[in-house]
Amino acid sequence: MTRKPWDLAFTAEPTEVAVLRRVMRLHLGIWGLHEVTDEAQLCVSELASNIITHVGPGTPATLAVSMNGIHLRIEVHDPDTRVLPTLLDANLDSEGGRGMALVDAIAARWGVQLRLDRKVTWCELTTGLTSPNGHVEGPGVQRAEALLEFYTGAEPPLRPGSGKLGRAVAEESVITAIADLLHWLRAHGCDADEALDRAQTRYDAQLNG
């Protein structure tokens, strides 16, 4: 899966934070990164709110999201290069400082870059990907690879390669396995079409869960 960088201009206002959270959830769903969505939304909220609090409401800003290897990179750009985010030892009674403390606790790493016309506050989240264009190793994927390894005798487990040929071979093996399972259902008096419908429903529910 190719995950192309994207960005979105916004105005630093409290009402915009909810919009940024929704956009982040939508894009991460398309990217197949459901497992990191909550953490990403929280980081976006804190980085955007940091601009509202310390630079000022109404500040023009930009959210930029990309992949850095197997990490999800979230950037928030604003035009004020004088006010820098600070990590404070925020406790339960603190009125400020919690935002970057939360980002620090969630993210694998974070930092600030100063450019001529703006500053960039960024953080990177661990995704669980095994390669930049790969998939998250969820339980369903792990079970499928174990089944395919047994079914095809592939060692190491069969996975789509980076080229078209490798991907085609892997896809054909999966299709063959599915077809054989449908034959098994029919041989035992089960409704193969109903089983496919139920499998699709379960798959969709897991993606949206």
Side-chain angles (χ1 to χ4, degrees), residues 148 151 168-183:
L148 286 170
Y151 186 82
V169 170
E171 186 176 282
E172 187 61 30
S173 297
V174 171
I175 292 171
T176 299
I178 293 172
D180 286 350
L181 289 171
L182 293 175
H183 282 299

Side-chain angles (χ1 to χ4, degrees), residues 14 70 127 164:
I70 59 174
T127 61
K164 291 183 178 180

Side-chain angles (χ1 to χ4, degrees), residues 35-181:
E35 290 79 0
V36 77
T37 297
D38 291 342
E39 291 85 351
Q41 286 184 305
L42 181 55
C43 287
V44 167
S45 294
E46 297 303 335
L47 294 178
S49 297
N50 198 59
I51 297 176
I52 298 171
T53 302
H54 299 290
V55 181
T59 301
T62 301
L63 168 67
V65 181
S66 60
M67 296 299 300
N68 183 16
I70 59 174
H71 287 82
L72 176 69
R73 184 178 178 91
I74 301 170
E75 299 178 357
V76 173
H77 301 222
D78 75 78
D80 195 330
T81 58
R82 298 168 299 172
V83 180
L84 303 181
T86 302
L87 178 62
L88 302 179
D89 184 14
N91 55 49
L92 294 179
D93 298 324
S94 298
E95 290 298 326
R98 297 182 191 175
M100 296 314 298
L102 284 172
V103 172
D104 183 68
I106 293 171
R109 48 186 174 260
W110 69 275
V112 182
Q113 295 176 334
L114 293 180
R115 300 180 181 174
L116 291 177
D117 59 344
R118 65 190 185 280
K119 75 170 177 287
V120 179
T121 308
W122 60 270
C123 68
E124 293 184 354
L125 301 175
T126 302
T127 61
L129 293 172
T130 57
S131 65
N133 295 324
H135 52 68
V136 176
E137 296 284 355
V141 173
Q142 294 172 354
R143 289 193 298 269
E145 289 188 341
L147 174 63
L148 286 170
E149 180 181 357
F150 175 80
Y151 186 82
T152 64
E155 183 65 39
L158 182 67
R159 291 179 178 175
S162 57
K164 291 183 178 180
L165 180 60
R167 184 171 298 276
V169 170
E171 186 176 282
E172 187 61 30
S173 297
V174 171
I175 292 171
T176 299
I178 293 172
D180 286 350
L181 289 171

